[in-house]
Amino acid sequence: MTEPAFAALEEVAANRCFGGWHRRFRHRSATLRCEMVFAVFLPPHAERATVPALYWLSGLTCSDENFMQKAGAMCVAAELGIALVAPDTSPRGTHVPGDPDGAWDFGHGAGFYLNATQEPWATHYRMHDYVVGELPELIEANLPIDARRGISGHSMGGHGALLCALRNPGRYRSVSAFAPICHALASPWGQKAFLRYLGEDRAAWKDWDVCELIAGARERLPLLVDQGDADGFLVEQLQPELLQQACAAAGHPLDLRLQPGYDHSYYFIASFIEDHLRHHAGALTP
């Protein structure tokens, strides 16, 4: 194939990997009003034709690097002919406000994949529009990646993956999650983020809560969710039983797998990422 034009992108790293390429790019985001970095793994198939992509949304404190370096996903993605796309978890920069208290669970590294409505965050924190709209449009215009999209993620990013799929019927062909925040309205992490990003009107929070969206979902993509039973955040923050209840009530297909002995780490993700990639490949490839 002809080398793609990177008119809107600055390539900051490229590494040969499993016959394909791991690449990192920097660009100016019109949605987030700051510079953003994202990573892409292009399988060998991308040298001959366009390929589908799995978008991976990482969790609190992470960046584009965690998944690519720790998940062990590129070997299987190379076999299946699926690109992997890992955006950052939030807008960045000295001019982008973070947590006023300096905590790790809000602000930089904690965009929660929603569109903030409250200042000072509303100007930059529009991660939902970035992930669903601007980033795929940029990637599909500049890289050998087409519009066959799946989405997955971990923890805050698992919440984000389910959220993006539920809010945008027809946008994705497949969805999965590892240890997602299932009911942000009932999670201390979610409550803190929603109060600051969205304001005090809790009715507005429901538009960004997975369990609340399940009931009215206009598309019933099957959900694959893995959760470790030794996860320290399981009871207070993640609450997969609430997702199970919401899906049962709505008749939404859910494969919730409670994995004995696994925690919240990338050791857990690496142990089951192949299952997820094959789940997505069933919808993304012929």
Side-chain angles (χ1 to χ4, degrees):
M1 290 187 63
T2 302
E3 183 69 15
F6 299 120
L9 303 176
E10 176 192 357
E11 188 169 60
V12 296
N15 305 95
R16 194 72 168 163
C17 187
F18 293 105
W21 287 92
H22 168 263
R23 289 176 161 177
R24 294 185 80 213
F25 297 99
R26 180 183 294 113
H27 74 107
R28 177 74 185 181
S29 168
T31 302
L32 305 178
R33 300 187 184 183
C34 65
E35 283 197 340
M36 293 293 287
V37 174
F38 65 90
V40 176
F41 171 70
L42 292 171
H45 306 62
E47 296 180 3
R48 305 184 298 273
T50 61
V51 296
L54 176 63
Y55 288 77
W56 174 270
L57 307 184
S58 293
L60 289 165
T61 75
C62 292
S63 70
D64 67 285
E65 296 182 281
N66 299 74
F67 177 73
M68 293 298 193
Q69 294 178 1
K70 297 179 179 180
M74 286 183 275
C75 178
V76 179
E79 172 199 334
L80 296 173
I82 295 174
L84 304 173
V85 179
D88 203 345
T89 51
S90 71
R92 307 272 182 171
T94 56
H95 64 295
V96 176
D99 192 314
D101 302 320
W104 59 270
D105 57 354
F106 182 82
H108 297 166
F112 270 82
Y113 305 102
L114 50 71
N115 293 332
T117 59
Q118 304 300 300
E119 294 299 346
W121 298 285
T123 300
H124 299 284
Y125 284 82
R126 302 188 62 80
M127 286 298 296
H128 188 78
D129 283 356
Y130 176 73
V131 166
V132 171
E134 183 181 7
L135 183 60
E137 181 179 346
L138 182 68
I139 285 172
E140 291 162 18
N142 288 279
L143 293 167
I145 292 174
D146 57 45
R148 291 172 291 168
R149 310 177 197 97
I151 192 163
S152 186
H154 172 230
S155 194
M156 177 188 71
H159 146 86
L162 299 175
L163 194 68
C164 289
L166 289 166
R167 285 178 57 95
N168 299 277
R171 189 70 172 163
Y172 303 97
R173 295 189 180 190
S174 55
V175 59
S176 72
F178 287 83
I181 301 171
C182 293
H183 192 24
L185 272 68
S187 162
W189 283 338
Q191 291 168 355
K192 177 178 180 178
F194 283 13
L195 180 62
R196 293 183 177 182
Y197 288 140
L198 302 174
E200 296 183 357
D201 180 7
R202 295 198 171 219
W205 296 10
K206 294 181 179 181
D207 291 338
W208 302 100
D209 181 275
V210 171
C211 285
E212 295 291 336
L213 291 170
I214 287 286
R218 290 187 286 121
E219 182 180 46
R220 297 295 180 188
L221 283 181
L223 311 182
L224 172 61
V225 176
D226 272 309
Q227 172 65 62
D229 72 358
D231 189 325
F233 302 115
L234 175 60
V235 175
E236 183 179 28
Q237 302 283 8
L238 307 178
Q239 304 169 325
E241 70 281 359
L242 300 181
L243 176 63
Q244 191 170 41
Q245 292 168 15
C247 286
H252 197 112
L254 169 66
D255 184 5
L256 174 60
R257 310 191 308 185
L258 196 62
Q259 303 292 0
Y262 285 89
D263 59 18
H264 200 68
S265 71
Y266 265 84
Y267 297 108
F268 163 55
I269 295 169
S271 298
F272 300 101
I273 191 64
E274 180 173 351
D275 289 356
H276 284 245
L277 288 170
R278 295 193 183 279
H279 164 79
H280 289 280
L284 295 174
T285 59

